Amino acid sequence: MNVALASLPAEPGQENEDFAAVAPGAAVLLDGAGVAGAETGCVHGVAWFSSTLGGLLLGSITAHPARPLADCLADSIRGVRSLHEDTCDLAYRASPTSTVVAVRAGADALEYLVLGDSTLLLANREGETTAVTDRRLDEVGKRLRGPVDALPTGTPEHAAALVEYRDALTGLRNRPGGFWIAGPDPLAAEHALAGAVPLGSLASVTLLSDGATRLVDKFALADWRGLLALLGSTGPDGLVRRVREVEGGDPDGRRWPRGKVHDDATVVHWPLS
């Protein structure tokens, strides 16, 4: 299993809330999230949540190859909950959450699961790409973030608008008509996007957090085939460096409005041919 992985926190010295890991025939990527500036109710923090959930999930999907990925995720959420429900307030509305991307290769098919706005990029042997992304968070966000995007990133006014936006977004988390993400409730796993594709048809499988997909879905400087070409020439480290270069050229978010100048960025690239 020839897998390349890169992960970089948003700022030097800052805790990375992304998590990725691989095992023979399987990989997971999680992008942890809290509410900036708000208490989480958890003494461990967002990075602990995403890494603990990711480790349990990878263990579950490899130990139980016949068990559906959604069931493995639900069990893993229960496992994390049992580790900190006695010390943390898991009913708190800003408790830690995480996106989830998981893949598992069987004899003939690649199973996948996507929950939240991280991306699974599948490339077939004909050079065609399919991006599997849960767009429900984006759709909710577009309805709410107009005041945020109208202000320069990093200004006090932008920060205040961002707090209001994130508070409104949190109120729609894991609710019908809102969006779904891994948190303290295992029922969220039932709302993940899940499927399978013939393993022999694939040339590569790539897992990306939203901090790594910005070249395509935020900056529109590449399409998915272009992103894969960059991965092929520079590897995951090169892709993350390129994202940082572009972000650094627009520090106030005037060209590309965004909540943060930089975001944690993680890539897992698994060539199959």
Side-chain angles (χ1 to χ4, degrees), residues 50 63 81 130 134 149 157 207 223 242 247 251 260 265-266:
S50 59
R81 184 182 183 100
T130 301
D134 184 350
D149 291 344
E157 294 80 8
L207 293 68
D223 58 14
R242 177 58 180 149
E247 292 168 336
K260 295 181 281 187
T266 301

Side-chain angles (χ1 to χ4, degrees), residues 59 73 88 96 98 117 228 246:
L73 176 57
C88 305
S98 180
D117 62 351
L228 281 177
V246 175

Side-chain angles (χ1 to χ4, degrees), residues 11-194:
E11 301 292 346
Q14 180 175 303
E15 195 169 36
N16 190 344
E17 295 175 346
D18 285 359
F19 173 83
V22 299
V28 298
L29 181 149
L30 294 84
D31 180 356
V35 178
E39 295 293 332
T40 65
C42 175
V43 300
H44 303 94
V46 174
W48 176 88
F49 178 83
S50 59
S51 61
T52 303
L53 178 60
L56 289 176
L57 177 59
L58 185 63
S60 180
I61 66 178
T62 53
H64 306 287
R67 190 164 176 77
L69 295 180
D71 291 348
C72 292
L73 176 57
D75 286 347
S76 300
I77 291 173
R78 291 187 190 96
V80 176
R81 184 182 183 100
S82 71
L83 292 174
H84 70 145
E85 61 185 347
D86 293 335
T87 57
C88 305
D89 181 5
L90 303 189
Y92 194 74
R93 67 194 306 268
S95 60
T97 60
S98 180
T99 71
V100 180
V101 181
V103 295
R104 179 174 60 195
D108 301 309
L110 180 90
E111 302 169 75
Y112 66 82
L113 176 146
V114 178
L115 181 65
D117 62 351
S118 294
T119 297
L120 172 65
L121 183 60
L122 304 173
N124 67 22
R125 296 181 182 273
E126 286 70 48
E128 299 168 331
T129 61
T130 301
V132 184
T133 307
D134 184 350
R135 294 294 182 190
R136 287 170 289 191
L137 176 57
D138 290 342
E139 291 165 1
V140 171
K142 286 177 183 177
R143 302 200 307 260
L144 299 173
R145 64 175 299 124
V148 177
D149 291 344
L151 296 164
T153 301
T155 62
E157 294 80 8
H158 180 270
L162 193 60
V163 168
E164 292 184 10
Y165 162 74
R166 286 172 171 161
D167 185 64
L169 201 64
T170 299
L172 294 171
R173 185 179 71 190
N174 290 348
R175 293 186 180 182
F179 65 98
W180 300 88
I181 195 165
D185 188 351
L187 290 177
E190 298 178 4
H191 296 272
L193 308 180

